[in-house]
Amino acid sequence: MDFILNILVALGLVPAKDLADSMQKSKTLTVMVIVGLILFGGFVFFLFHMAGNQ
């Protein structure tokens, strides 16, 4: 879980420690956070791709 905690801190999430503790207890929350990060990263990639087409 240290890897996920480092990602959350890098994203600027202030309560990252509490979120990481909750993620250790809940597999559903862990999956939701990982899927959310993947979708957000895909959206950012899409925006950079569309900006490059201009």
Side-chain angles (χ1 to χ4, degrees), residues 46-54:
F46 170 75
L47 290 179
F48 276 115
H49 177 72
M50 294 306 284
N53 287 338
Q54 293 294 327

Side-chain angles (χ1 to χ4, degrees), residues 13-26:
L13 297 174
V14 177
K17 179 66 175 152
D18 295 331
L19 180 59
D21 290 341
S22 296
M23 287 172 61
Q24 287 180 346
K25 297 176 186 173
S26 173

Side-chain angles (χ1 to χ4, degrees), residues 7-44:
I7 291 174
L8 295 174
V9 170
L11 290 174
L13 297 174
V14 177
K17 179 66 175 152
D18 295 331
L19 180 59
D21 290 341
S22 296
M23 287 172 61
Q24 287 180 346
K25 297 176 186 173
S26 173
K27 291 179 184 178
T28 304
L29 179 61
T30 303
V31 170
M32 288 173 56
V33 169
I34 291 171
V35 169
L37 289 173
I38 290 170
L39 291 175
F40 181 74
F43 180 66
V44 169

